[in-house]
Amino acid sequence: MKRKKNISKKSAPGRVKDSKKVAAGKARAEQALKDAKGRYVSQTLAGEIQRIYLATKKINVADIKPDNKKKLTEVLRENKITGKQVAEFYKQNKEIFEDVILKGTIQGTSTNSNNTKKAIDKYTGQLFVDRGNGDIKKVTKAQLKLHIDRFKQAVSANLNAIDFSVNPLLTFDGKATYQIPRASDLYAYLKEYFGIKNLEELEEFTGAEINEAVNEFLQGLYKKPMIVLYLS
Amino acid sequence: MKAILDQQAVNAYIDLHKKIKMPFTFIISTYTSRIKSDYCDITFMKTEQSKKVFAAYAKIKSDIKGKPAPRITNDDVIYYSTAFRDNENFYADIIHNIDLKSAYATVLLNDGFISKETFKYLSTLKKQERLAAVGMLAGKKNIYEINADGEPENQKEVIAETAGFFFHCVKKIGAIMKESSLVLGDAFIFTWVDGIYFLQEEQASRSAAKIIQAYLKEIGYKTTFEVLTEFQVDAEKEYYKCSYIKEGKKKIINVPRPDNKIVKILTEHLLTKKY
């Protein structure tokens, strides 16, 4: 069988391009949402990006699903928002969206222990606790809140920490992972680091020294620590 | 029964209940843990809280009795503000710092919530003790019902009815710090709870410090003035690490960074959407 020749589509010499079609093509290209590999993002993700853009413009989109293209287009039009604006917004924040597109996860913003517990209460997905060194377990809301309260008590009572904040690792399909170390691991580390037998001896050290030790502990426990202690 | 707050001892009691398959109530606050079951009722307490702290708290509580608590919650308060530039590290050989003396206790006195006697008593306490005594106003108990398998089944929070008094103090100090930062203009670096940090700009800063101190004195607050050296700000991913030397000792304050707007929206969206 004869193979077909691979002939690329070229305009015939001397053919005049339709300027309207060229402009329309350019406009479409400007509105395109493509990932780092140049692929078009899925319609649901495109809808999600549109929703986020609308939310930044203080437009309530809580009731619109990301796959409801018709409704989203309608709201965009109503608010005189062009596809180009959304694409520009996407390009400017591509780094953030890359995580979502390529890894399916995003490192959320941090909240203090109190607000973290409030967020957990409202969350409808699956919760996980990361105790460090790859020890990640699925937990219930009550279990996670108990971990938070026990760790908070441990650092407040013994390290004079005002509080701590933690950034959850989130996925679009409903998983949230929180880094909450075991207080016993932190205690053991501090005892070895400072060469002390009990934590009351920590009073002999400065806040700066304790802070450095805590940071080293967290670095050792997690590749990317997403928990910060606020020591007084 | 009472015991010293020790995580290993608390864990031992929890494990024992698990082994004998006995449900219990676990109550956690900042300085205490209580295990209550058919087998025992034991409260683990931090030892260093001196009797003076509890005495000071009792005096405050007695003074505010019958007075309506301000309707302010933890969500209404700000503990810090900064003029740091995003992702930029910063160094200054010398900076200046003004701290409010007995800040929260002074708010309670100035706003008529506590007597002069109570204020005097609070002033005799160490800084951490004073904060603990006033902080007890916003005491919170986290109550967990633990089942026979040792798993928490439900949780509830009980916040002290006097919490509004404490958050009133925090809010007021936050507002005073904000006002002071505006006086400083470009010399302002950051505020952290009851302290303000600013650039030393020859005589200008000293004048600014005088103006702020005069302003704070006028509204009834005593201050301390410090010269800090080797001030360094490192923009870490989630916070600004501020380090400096004060009286020959290195200090570090981790100040939270403002959230990236887009990540914040994404986070809220993912945490609240229905799965």
Side-chain angles (χ1 to χ4, degrees):
Chain A
M1 206 169 91
K2 262 189 175 181
R3 273 191 180 179
K4 274 186 184 175
K5 275 186 184 175
N6 187 12
I7 305 165
S8 58
K9 229 181 175 182
K10 277 183 184 172
S11 301
R15 182 178 167 245
V16 180
K17 286 181 181 176
D18 183 335
S19 60
K20 276 184 187 171
K21 281 185 180 174
V22 171
K26 275 186 182 173
R28 271 199 304 277
E30 281 172 346
Q31 292 179 25
L33 302 176
K34 288 179 184 175
D35 68 16
K37 291 178 180 170
R39 297 172 304 203
Y40 287 98
V41 302
S42 72
Q43 194 173 308
T44 309
L45 185 60
E48 202 78 66
I49 294 162
Q50 287 170 336
R51 292 178 76 249
I52 292 161
Y53 183 74
L54 286 163
T56 64
K57 300 286 167 199
K58 309 266 179 223
I59 298 159
N60 191 341
V61 288
D63 294 331
I64 310 173
K65 288 188 175 171
D67 54 2
N68 192 344
K69 196 179 172 185
K70 195 180 162 191
K71 182 71 186 166
L72 278 168
T73 311
E74 197 182 299
V75 177
L76 287 166
R77 273 196 196 137
E78 267 172 24
N79 291 282
K80 292 178 183 159
I81 293 166
T82 64
K84 193 180 165 187
Q85 282 173 291
V86 178
E88 201 54 43
F89 162 77
Y90 171 65
K91 274 180 206 162
Q92 281 167 6
N93 300 288
K94 217 167 189 173
E95 209 176 287
I96 296 161
F97 288 110
E98 295 295 83
D99 266 359
V100 182
I101 296 162
L102 298 176
K103 294 186 223 154
T105 60
I106 184 167
Q107 200 74 60
T109 47
S110 68
T111 46
N112 63 29
S113 61
N114 200 33
N115 287 336
T116 298
K117 282 169 66 185
K118 282 184 192 168
I120 290 166
D121 270 332
K122 287 181 195 160
Y123 193 60
T124 57
Q126 296 177 351
L127 291 164
F128 295 83
V129 67
D130 184 351
R131 306 296 242 163
N133 295 322
D135 179 7
I136 302 170
K137 277 187 189 126
K138 193 177 170 191
V139 284
T140 63
K141 287 182 179 187
Q143 281 172 329
L144 187 53
K145 287 194 285 182
L146 182 55
H147 288 323
I148 290 171
D149 282 334
R150 291 203 72 190
F151 187 69
K152 166 115 193 255
Q153 185 200 50
V155 294
S156 301
N158 295 294
L159 307 180
N160 286 327
I162 298 169
D163 200 357
F164 67 83
S165 69
V166 59
N167 310 52
L169 182 70
L170 304 164
T171 67
F172 261 72
D173 60 352
K175 285 176 188 150
T177 308
Y178 288 84
Q179 291 180 349
I180 310 291
R182 283 187 186 85
S184 54
D185 288 346
L186 175 61
Y187 287 178
Y189 186 88
L190 292 176
K191 281 179 186 173
E192 198 185 321
Y193 185 98
F194 291 109
I196 54 175
K197 282 184 182 169
N198 63 65
L199 290 172
E200 283 166 15
E201 292 173 53
L202 276 178
E203 279 187 7
E204 292 167 25
F205 300 92
T206 66
E209 287 168 326
I210 297 168
N211 197 73
E212 296 284 359
V214 169
N215 283 343
E216 273 190 29
F217 164 75
L218 294 173
Q219 288 287 347
L221 210 57
Y222 303 106
K223 275 184 191 166
K224 261 171 72 182
M226 283 296 158
I227 176 166
V228 182
L229 264 60
Y230 298 108
L231 304 176
S232 62
Chain B
M1 198 167 106
K2 283 184 178 160
I4 295 165
L5 180 59
D6 174 291
Q7 297 299 328
Q8 281 179 333
V10 175
N11 285 342
Y13 269 82
I14 291 172
D15 289 344
L16 178 67
H17 279 78
K18 210 171 163 179
K19 270 181 194 162
I20 60 173
K21 296 247 170 215
M22 182 171 287
F24 63 97
T25 306
F26 190 27
I27 306 164
I28 306 172
S29 68
T30 306
Y31 301 111
T32 64
S33 280
R34 183 177 173 191
I35 292 175
K36 201 178 160 195
S37 69
D38 287 343
Y39 161 66
C40 69
D41 185 354
I42 182 167
T43 303
F44 298 89
M45 293 179 77
K46 188 166 154 49
T47 48
E48 290 120 63
Q49 286 310 337
S50 70
K51 282 180 184 168
K52 280 186 90 176
V53 172
F54 290 102
Y57 170 60
K59 284 178 191 289
I60 299 169
K61 223 178 153 188
S62 163
D63 285 357
I64 61 172
K65 199 176 176 183
K67 291 170 185 157
R71 287 187 169 190
I72 300 166
T73 71
N74 201 12
D75 297 330
D76 306 317
V77 299
I78 295 165
Y79 289 93
Y80 61 91
S81 63
T82 78
F84 301 145
R85 286 190 189 156
D86 208 19
N87 281 324
E88 252 182 47
N89 293 345
F90 172 80
Y91 178 82
D93 286 329
I94 296 172
I95 66 159
H96 289 165
N97 156 238
I98 290 173
D99 269 351
L100 296 178
K101 275 187 184 174
S102 306
Y104 294 165
T106 308
V107 175
L108 291 175
L109 175 72
N110 290 354
D111 292 356
F113 293 126
I114 60 167
S115 65
K116 277 185 182 171
E117 289 68 33
T118 301
F119 179 77
K120 271 185 193 167
Y121 189 82
L122 279 166
S123 304
T124 63
L125 267 60
K126 289 179 198 162
K127 187 175 179 173
Q128 288 302 336
E129 290 176 332
R130 197 163 48 240
L131 188 61
V134 180
M136 281 180 186
L137 288 171
K140 191 163 68 176
K141 281 179 184 170
N142 296 285
I143 305 166
Y144 290 87
E145 295 302 332
I146 314 285
N147 67 19
D149 295 323
E151 298 299 339
E153 282 192 327
N154 58 57
Q155 177 257 358
K156 66 175 178 179
E157 241 174 45
V158 179
I159 300 166
E161 286 175 4
T162 51
F165 290 100
F166 176 75
F167 293 122
H168 168 76
C169 296
V170 181
K171 191 176 179 185
K172 188 130 193 188
I173 294 302
I176 290 168
M177 289 288 112
K178 177 81 187 163
E179 195 67 35
S180 304
S181 70
L182 294 175
V183 173
L184 286 166
D186 289 343
F188 168 65
I189 305 175
F190 76 106
T191 63
W192 182 251
V193 192
D194 54 1
I196 185 161
Y197 300 77
F198 49 101
L199 286 169
Q200 179 231 29
E201 288 177 354
E202 303 299 332
Q203 293 304 311
S205 179
R206 290 201 181 276
S207 327
K210 277 180 189 164
I211 292 167
I212 292 171
Q213 281 178 307
Y215 158 69
L216 294 171
K217 192 178 173 186
E218 194 187 311
I219 58 170
Y221 291 84
K222 287 183 180 168
T223 55
T224 57
F225 175 81
E226 299 280 352
V227 175
L228 313 175
T229 58
E230 296 176 38
F231 178 74
Q232 171 79 38
V233 179
D234 293 305
E236 304 286 344
K237 194 172 184 328
E238 300 304 326
Y239 60 94
Y240 293 105
K241 183 178 158 191
C242 308
S243 59
Y244 56 84
I245 307 288
K246 182 180 174 180
E247 293 166 352
K249 282 185 179 175
K250 191 179 178 187
K251 300 253 177 190
I252 292 178
I253 299 175
N254 293 333
V255 181
R257 282 179 70 154
D259 293 324
N260 177 301
K261 201 172 148 190
I262 307 304
V263 179
K264 194 174 182 195
I265 291 167
L266 266 171
T267 304
E268 278 171 11
H269 169 65
L270 292 174
L271 283 173
T272 52
K273 95 180 209 188
K274 295 238 180 324
Y275 293 103

